[in-house]
Amino acid sequence: METLASIYTKGTLRKFQKFLGMDSKDPYMKYKEIDFFKELFAKFQPNKCLEYGCGTSTPYYMSHLPDGARWVSIEHHKGWFDKISKVIDRPNLSLHFVDVDGNDPKVPEDDLYATFPKQFAPYDFILVDGIRRENCIELAHELLAKNGIVVVHDSNRKEYHDHIKKFKYWFILEDFRKTAGGLGLASNDVDVTQLVSLKQHAALWKKDSVVSNFFKFKFLMGKKAKPFRLQTS
């Protein structure tokens, strides 16, 4: 498992690479989140996965799956889809563009983006990291296989919490950020708190939030820092 020093070192290196115009092959997430996914895949070993919102995470996390595992990825942005589809060529990847122009549903069942993966269901693992996440979380109940799990990225956003908490088992890791980051893990069949070293991850996230809040100097501006929080079912 990562340490505070290691995630800061890797994060600094990635920023330096970006400054030099170099593309990182790592997912565009905090390294503490990447560390979380690596352990989750090592323990859970899903055979069929769904990802709402493709990106650098797609080939990275696919490399942590068991042999023969399949990955379905959904993307709504045509320009991004065209770019990603040119650099990802895996026999076990099924990458799909979903045109959502003119489709602004009020309920999950009418959402072209959220419902598109139904034709390939069920899934052992679902990563919600694209658009219309509330609808995607709701539909995960019927898309998941028995003992399947769903992970919601950017779970610092409060609007996702009620949807995550509809599952029987769940937890939400929140850090110092308000509109990005954070992870929610849920299932109706599996005690998700047993799938990762939750206490260790929570301790790392808490330390990171303390350090990050300090160096944001919110206290000098009279603003209240956002503390780390772990919620569990």
Side-chain angles (χ1 to χ4, degrees):
M1 183 170 171
E2 298 278 10
T3 63
L4 199 62
S6 65
I7 64 172
Y8 285 171
T9 299
K10 290 180 180 180
T12 301
L13 178 59
R14 183 166 61 182
K15 289 180 180 178
F16 184 65
Q17 290 175 326
K18 183 178 180 181
F19 176 77
L20 295 177
M22 302 169 59
D23 292 329
S24 173
K25 294 183 179 180
D26 294 337
Y28 192 65
M29 298 179 179
K30 293 285 187 181
Y31 278 98
K32 65 185 180 186
E33 296 173 333
I34 296 174
D35 185 44
F36 176 96
F37 277 103
K38 287 169 64 177
E39 183 187 3
L40 178 63
F41 283 132
K43 290 185 177 180
F44 188 64
Q45 291 285 282
N47 285 305
K48 190 173 182 182
C49 306
L50 167 63
E51 175 188 40
Y52 284 107
C54 67
T56 52
S57 59
T58 306
Y60 185 92
Y61 291 134
M62 285 179 65
S63 66
H64 290 80
L65 300 179
D67 292 341
R70 292 175 291 166
W71 188 280
V72 178
S73 191
I74 310 299
E75 178 57 45
H76 80 286
H77 190 286
K78 188 62 166 63
W80 181 245
F81 171 83
D82 290 341
K83 179 179 180 179
I84 291 296
S85 60
K86 291 178 181 178
V87 298
I88 302 177
D89 185 16
R90 303 277 183 102
N92 56 336
L93 169 65
S94 181
L95 184 59
H96 302 271
F97 167 68
V98 181
D99 189 352
V100 296
D101 285 347
N103 174 239
D104 186 18
K106 300 298 181 182
V107 294
E109 290 76 12
D110 295 329
D111 188 344
L112 296 178
Y113 178 82
T115 59
F116 184 87
K118 280 186 176 183
Q119 59 192 298
F120 310 113
Y123 305 94
D124 304 312
F125 170 87
I126 297 177
L127 172 58
V128 180
D129 196 19
I131 61 171
R132 302 177 180 177
R133 299 190 197 193
E134 293 95 328
N135 287 348
C136 296
I137 301 168
E138 290 293 331
L139 283 169
H141 288 273
E142 61 180 278
L143 297 181
L144 283 173
K146 180 69 174 178
N147 297 323
I149 63 173
V150 57
V151 177
V152 182
H153 191 221
D154 296 327
S155 288
N156 285 337
R157 299 171 185 169
K158 307 297 184 185
E159 59 266 31
Y160 302 156
H161 291 191
D162 286 344
H163 300 280
I164 294 171
K165 292 175 182 179
K166 288 184 180 180
F167 288 84
K168 182 177 180 180
Y169 304 101
W170 57 268
F171 67 78
I172 301 172
L173 281 164
E174 297 178 70
D175 64 10
F176 60 92
R177 294 167 289 175
K178 291 184 178 180
T179 59
L183 290 170
L185 182 57
S187 174
N188 280 321
D189 309 300
V190 180
D191 182 357
V192 292
T193 63
Q194 303 303 309
L195 295 179
V196 292
S197 304
L198 188 55
K199 287 185 178 180
Q200 288 88 333
H201 286 286
L204 176 65
W205 283 52
K206 186 175 183 178
K207 291 177 184 176
D208 179 42
S209 288
V210 171
V211 173
S212 298
N213 277 322
F214 177 81
F215 284 104
K216 284 182 177 293
F217 300 110
K218 288 186 176 181
F219 58 92
L220 295 177
M221 298 179 285
K223 296 182 178 180
K224 187 176 181 180
K226 182 178 181 294
F228 164 80
R229 185 166 71 152
L230 168 63
Q231 299 183 65
T232 61
S233 55

